[in-house]
Amino acid sequence: MRKVLLPALIIIGASLLIIRVFYLQIIDDSFKLKSENNAIKIKYDYPERGYIYDRNGVLLVANQPSYDIMVIPRELNNTDTLEFCKLLNITKDDFIKRIEKAKVYSPRLPSVFLAQLNKNEFAAFQEKIRKFEGFYFQKRALRDYEVDFGANIFGFITQVNDKLIEKNHYYKSGDLIGKQGVEESYEKILRGIKGVKYFQKDKFNREIGSYKEGKFDTIAVQGEDINLTIDAEIQKYGEQLMVNKRGGIVAIEPKTGEILALVTAPSYDPGILVGRQRSKNYTKLYHDSIAKPLYDRGLLAEYPPGSPFKIMTGLVGLQEGVIDEQTTFVCNHGFYYAPGRFQGCHCGIFGPRSLNVGIYKSCNAYFSNVYLRTIGKYKAPYAVDVWSNHVKSFGLGQFMGYDLPTGRKGKIPTSKTYKKMYPGWGYSGKTIISNAIGQGEVLMTPIQLANMMSAVANEGYYYTPHIIKKIKGEKIDTKFTTKHVTTIDKKYFPPMIQGLFDVYNHGTAYALRVEGIDICGKTGTAENFAKIDGVRTKMQDHSIFVAFAPKDNPKIAIAVLVENGGFGATIAGPIASLMIEKYLRKKITRTDLETRVLNISLQGRYAKLGGLSEEVKKQLRIQDSITNSKIKAAQKLDSLKTKKQ
């Protein structure tokens, strides 16, 4: 048997090899195509990218025709460089650099010499292109933005780099690819499939017809259209409200996790990143290290959440059984949590606070006591991890898995955190008590704050936030339709929701009510420090507000953060109320709030961060002084309204 086995294996192997060689050389001539590429010219037919619509079918992003000048270095012959450069308004040095780059890519293959000519530029050059051997036009589609907002959502289109070409052979030099936003997340769906045409050339390098009668040619397939979850109307409105401010607004539909608005400020018109000025404009945006218009604050900026985090502190306390609705703690403008250690509070006069009062008055003393009881229930370091696991079940302290290519996970401290911070000695709840009120080591992004409110609105569950609503001919990822249940029992949410409702009825957001809409919300003010000339300096606090509405069957959950905005009810709160009314009613009745927000500019406060001339800083400080006067007047009016209740 052994004598037969070895010869048999040799015969079978040789037979398979002969069959494969016969197939490749006689039957399949696709390799012949590659071997003959010196006599073959390849042209690509670029498809239009898929259109982008909002949740209501409003067209946001379409396409427009554009033309690239392609070059094959090997075919260049006696080019009149001066005339060529004059036609395209480029320098001779620029011409030489582009030719050298094309040669590095390939002397024989076409590459982009000059991209994205408009109709007028194309018409002027088309008349004389016959004079310039080695150059030809290639038509393709560029983005045509139907709106002047949502740049952070869409992203932009740019040329692929050499590193990507090496990694992904679909792309060739000069190809376009989506970067940032949905253009990057859904690149494969939006880009379509390139068509390829092969042309045979004679010995004089002239095209003499289609190779093999078009046997290997393929047709371009247009990219698929997509519908986003975004509501174009409130996205635009949110960006208007954030003019002359920095921060983010994130609105989510609680029952689905669909992102209704994703605002970052400052932003820019997406149309400036189209055409030959794209590179120049992008460079300007990229190097703006002060305002950071390319930085999506709704997804990337990590802030101390401040008082909205008291919602978590209260829910964990209820779940762990250390408090109930009737449990009270005394507040005397704060409380001494350790000898010589006093935590201040601004919730009102001396007296006992229940859960409901603690929420709508935003009492630091109440929630700090709840936190101490929660941590004190278990032995360290396990106690911190019990608390941390409850909080993380709301999607906090982790990457949330949404369908946008950027983001940060925030921070929810664990026992490991404090082991590193306090090596060699123990710590207690009193050491880390700032966590109770959303300061300390807790950090959250605006989208995490909005998702937290979605989970509260749903009484204990949420869906992964996402921005894709519909893809033509495809289903969206099932991870966006999978329910995530928190560790807090459903029975503990109604008292918390009632407290949030009373924030508008009796508490810190009383002056922000919208007639006929039952809003549940929470104001927040987060301490803010910045390095100025190398010194850690206390800056104006961040203004934070979270909310959902209506109270029953919520349709929108929202988080608003305005950097250096001060108290939560001053700027962030009015923005939240306005956004909610705009979404639910499609109109605004609280025009007083709208006027206040639109007239507020915080550029003077931001001027203190540097990067501006002294004269500009001086002008902005004057403007800021006027703004402060307006804010104080609005606060005084709000206070009078609250006292009249």
Side-chain angles (χ1 to χ4, degrees):
M1 184 66 180
R2 291 180 181 177
K3 292 181 180 180
V4 177
L5 181 61
L6 183 59
L9 290 174
I10 294 173
I11 293 169
I12 293 171
S15 300
L16 291 173
L17 184 60
I18 292 169
I19 292 170
R20 180 60 177 166
V21 170
F22 176 81
Y23 175 78
L24 292 176
Q25 291 190 354
I26 307 301
I27 299 174
D28 182 10
D29 50 4
S30 62
F31 283 85
K32 184 181 179 184
L33 174 65
K34 294 180 180 179
S35 69
E36 294 180 349
N37 61 11
N38 286 340
I40 295 170
K41 185 175 183 179
I42 302 173
K43 287 186 179 180
Y44 291 103
D45 184 12
Y46 289 91
E48 285 196 22
R49 290 180 75 87
Y51 283 28
I52 300 176
Y53 299 85
D54 87 336
R55 66 187 296 109
N56 300 310
V58 176
L59 180 61
L60 304 175
V61 185
N63 298 305
Q64 58 180 309
S66 176
Y67 305 88
D68 294 345
I69 297 179
M70 309 296 293
V71 63
I72 303 175
R74 187 178 178 181
E75 298 179 7
L76 295 179
N77 186 24
N78 298 323
T79 303
D80 186 337
T81 309
L82 292 177
E83 184 180 7
F84 186 95
C85 292
K86 187 177 180 180
L87 276 171
L88 294 174
N89 194 27
I90 61 174
T91 65
K92 186 176 180 180
D93 287 342
D94 197 22
F95 176 89
I96 294 171
K97 287 179 182 177
R98 291 173 185 270
I99 294 297
E100 290 302 316
K101 183 179 179 182
K103 287 179 180 178
V104 170
Y105 172 69
S106 173
R108 295 181 289 102
L109 297 177
S111 59
V112 176
F113 177 84
L114 192 61
Q116 303 182 11
L117 274 68
N118 59 36
K119 291 179 181 179
N120 294 332
E121 292 169 330
F122 168 68
F125 193 74
Q126 186 185 32
E127 295 180 4
K128 298 188 177 183
I129 193 170
R130 57 183 173 76
K131 298 172 62 176
F132 307 114
E133 291 184 33
F135 292 96
Y136 69 94
F137 279 113
Q138 181 170 267
K139 184 179 178 180
R140 69 170 79 214
L142 292 183
R143 281 314 204 186
D144 183 15
Y145 294 97
E146 307 300 308
V147 295
D148 59 359
F149 55 85
N152 61 309
I153 295 171
F154 306 137
F156 54 89
I157 307 298
T158 187
Q159 285 191 27
V160 295
N161 55 38
D162 294 338
K163 188 179 291 186
L164 181 61
I165 292 171
E166 290 177 10
K167 188 185 298 184
N168 189 333
H169 297 302
Y170 172 85
Y171 296 101
K172 308 297 179 185
S173 178
D175 281 5
L176 301 178
I177 190 172
K179 283 290 183 183
Q180 299 184 6
V182 296
E183 294 282 17
E184 180 175 335
S185 295
Y186 293 96
E187 162 69 9
K188 288 184 179 180
I189 291 170
L190 290 168
R191 77 184 180 193
I193 303 173
K194 285 185 293 188
V196 185
K197 293 183 179 180
Y198 299 92
F199 296 91
Q200 196 160 2
K201 299 183 290 185
D202 62 14
K203 63 181 180 179
F204 300 107
N205 208 33
R206 297 174 300 192
E207 288 185 22
I208 57 175
S210 178
Y211 179 76
K212 293 286 185 180
E213 298 181 347
K215 179 180 178 180
F216 300 104
D217 294 354
T218 58
I219 299 173
V221 179
Q222 183 173 348
E224 297 291 353
D225 297 342
I226 63 174
N227 284 75
L228 303 183
T229 60
I230 294 295
D231 183 300
E233 193 171 353
I234 67 164
Q235 176 71 28
K236 179 180 181 180
Y237 188 57
E239 292 193 20
Q240 290 173 343
L241 295 175
M242 289 295 288
V243 169
N244 290 321
K245 307 167 190 70
R246 296 178 190 168
I249 304 173
V250 182
I252 297 174
E253 185 178 68
K255 291 292 186 289
T256 63
E258 294 179 355
I259 300 172
L260 303 172
L262 180 61
V263 175
T264 183
S267 189
Y268 59 93
D269 182 344
I272 68 173
L273 295 186
V274 177
R276 289 180 63 184
Q277 297 301 312
R278 190 206 74 81
S279 180
K280 177 182 177 182
N281 291 334
Y282 179 81
T283 300
K284 185 177 179 181
L285 294 171
Y286 180 81
H287 289 292
D288 186 349
S289 60
I290 304 299
K292 299 180 180 179
L294 292 174
Y295 183 70
D296 193 330
R297 287 169 165 86
L299 303 177
L300 289 169
E302 298 170 307
Y303 306 93
S307 290
F309 195 74
K310 293 172 183 175
I311 299 169
M312 292 289 94
T313 303
L315 288 172
V316 174
L318 289 169
Q319 180 67 35
E320 287 298 320
V322 298
I323 61 165
D324 57 30
E325 293 179 59
Q326 284 71 45
T327 303
T328 60
F329 297 101
V330 174
C331 178
N332 186 16
H333 302 293
F335 81 115
Y336 286 96
Y337 60 91
R341 297 288 183 176
F342 183 77
Q343 184 186 72
C345 185
H346 304 283
C347 72
I349 60 174
F350 169 85
R353 305 283 185 261
S354 65
L355 175 63
N356 182 266
V357 176
I359 295 168
Y360 77 71
K361 283 186 173 292
S362 196
C363 179
N364 289 345
Y366 180 88
F367 289 100
S368 293
N369 274 293
V370 174
Y371 184 73
L372 290 177
R373 283 196 180 184
T374 302
I375 299 299
K377 182 180 177 180
Y378 302 98
K379 291 183 178 180
Y382 176 67
V384 174
D385 291 331
V386 171
W387 167 82
S388 178
N389 289 336
H390 282 307
V391 174
K392 286 182 177 180
S393 73
F394 285 76
L396 309 181
Q398 56 197 289
F399 293 110
M400 301 183 67
Y402 47 72
D403 53 341
L404 286 163
T406 190
R408 289 189 179 160
K409 63 180 182 178
K411 184 177 181 181
I412 300 298
T414 65
S415 59
K416 291 182 179 179
T417 307
Y418 296 114
K419 188 176 181 180
K420 292 179 181 178
M421 289 180 64
Y422 305 109
W425 62 283
Y427 60 89
S428 67
K430 294 177 181 179
T431 314
I432 56 178
I433 196 170
S434 294
N435 290 335
I437 57 174
Q439 297 288 166
E441 286 67 56
V442 177
L443 294 174
M444 292 171 63
T445 60
I447 194 170
Q448 288 176 325
L449 277 166
N451 189 65
M452 178 189 79
M453 290 307 286
S454 290
V456 175
N458 292 335
E459 299 186 358
Y461 71 88
Y462 69 91
Y463 291 95
T464 300
H466 54 283
I467 206 160
I468 192 70
K469 188 171 182 67
K470 185 172 67 175
I471 302 171
K472 187 177 180 181
E474 293 189 30
K475 291 184 178 180
I476 66 170
D477 196 319
T478 55
K479 73 177 183 179
F480 301 132
T481 57
T482 301
K483 182 185 288 188
H484 303 279
V485 181
T486 71
T487 58
I488 309 299
D489 293 341
K490 184 176 181 178
K491 64 182 179 181
Y492 296 122
F493 285 91
M496 179 60 67
I497 290 172
Q498 183 59 46
L500 296 172
F501 182 52
D502 286 339
V503 169
Y504 269 86
N505 288 330
H506 313 295
T508 52
Y510 179 80
L512 308 179
R513 293 174 302 158
V514 178
E515 190 68 32
I517 301 178
D518 293 335
I519 306 177
C520 301
K522 185 74 191 74
T523 53
T525 307
E527 290 186 345
N528 171 38
F529 294 87
K531 271 195 174 182
I532 300 178
D533 297 326
V535 180
R536 188 172 185 263
T537 307
K538 178 74 169 67
M539 303 295 291
Q540 184 76 41
D541 293 335
H542 295 322
S543 178
I544 306 173
F545 199 91
V546 295
F548 63 84
K551 178 174 179 284
D552 300 318
N553 191 26
K555 292 179 173 58
I556 180 173
I558 191 168
V560 181
L561 192 144
V562 181
E563 294 181 5
N564 309 97
F567 293 118
T570 302
I571 301 179
I575 290 174
S577 290
L578 291 167
M579 289 285 285
I580 287 171
E581 184 178 22
K582 187 73 170 179
Y583 180 66
L584 296 179
R585 287 181 172 166
K586 310 300 181 187
K587 63 179 183 178
I588 295 297
T589 60
R590 287 300 307 269
T591 53
D592 58 322
L593 293 182
E594 183 179 58
T595 301
R596 181 204 302 184
V597 172
L598 292 175
N599 286 338
I600 288 177
S601 171
L602 301 181
Q603 296 295 353
R605 295 179 184 178
Y606 303 141
K608 297 176 184 178
L609 298 176
L612 300 172
S613 68
E614 288 304 317
E615 181 60 31
V616 172
K617 285 184 180 181
K618 182 179 178 181
Q619 293 174 2
L620 289 174
R621 288 191 191 103
I622 294 172
Q623 183 182 4
D624 188 45
S625 177
I626 296 171
T627 297
N628 285 336
S629 299
K630 292 179 181 178
I631 290 174
K632 288 178 181 178
Q635 288 173 337
K636 187 174 182 181
L637 181 62
D638 291 346
S639 178
L640 290 172
K641 288 180 180 178
T642 304
K643 288 179 180 179
K644 288 181 180 179
Q645 58 173 301

